[in-house]
Amino acid sequence: QVQLAESGGGLVQAGGSLRLSCAASGRTFSSYTMGWFRQAPGKEREFVAAINWGGGSTYYVDSVKGRFTISRDNAKDTVYLQMNSLKPEDTAVYYCAADQFITAATMSDSMTYDYWGQGTQVTVAS
């Protein structure tokens, strides 16, 4: 069992930055692939970014490439999402997710993640 807790959300002006954190507890964090997803009101949950267990491979949805950076610190059992040049369309609840058995082909599929945090709200004002 893995417990995940997101933090760092808030209200920011367009063009601004936020850094989300997701602290994990429970089983060995370093063996899990970690993902960030987001869900805007009235929309489906959307893949944002993912990072493999060692941090050597990262994946992003096209709409955030060049603006968002996912990273992890296995010594602190924490994964981060640095979000720069934020746009109003980035407004959503952001969730982190974890699973041990993710492949590059399934990394963007929310159904393949077993563990989820409660989410943190990000609001970008225009």
Side-chain angles (χ1 to χ4, degrees), residues 25-91:
S25 60
R27 293 191 175 177
T28 306
F29 173 77
S30 60
S31 66
Y32 284 75
T33 291
M34 301 298 296
W36 284 98
F37 291 77
R38 64 187 180 187
Q39 189 166 19
K43 294 189 176 182
E44 297 286 321
R45 190 167 295 190
E46 174 191 34
F47 170 76
V48 176
I51 187 166
N52 73 334
W53 64 272
S57 296
T58 56
Y59 305 84
Y60 299 92
V61 68
D62 285 347
S63 60
V64 308
K65 285 181 180 177
R67 300 189 298 123
F68 290 11
T69 303
I70 188 171
S71 61
R72 67 190 296 161
D73 185 340
N74 287 343
K76 295 182 178 180
D77 292 348
T78 302
V79 63
Y80 305 98
L81 186 68
Q82 178 67 44
M83 306 186 295
N84 299 328
S85 302
L86 282 161
K87 304 175 181 180
E89 51 263 44
D90 294 318
T91 295

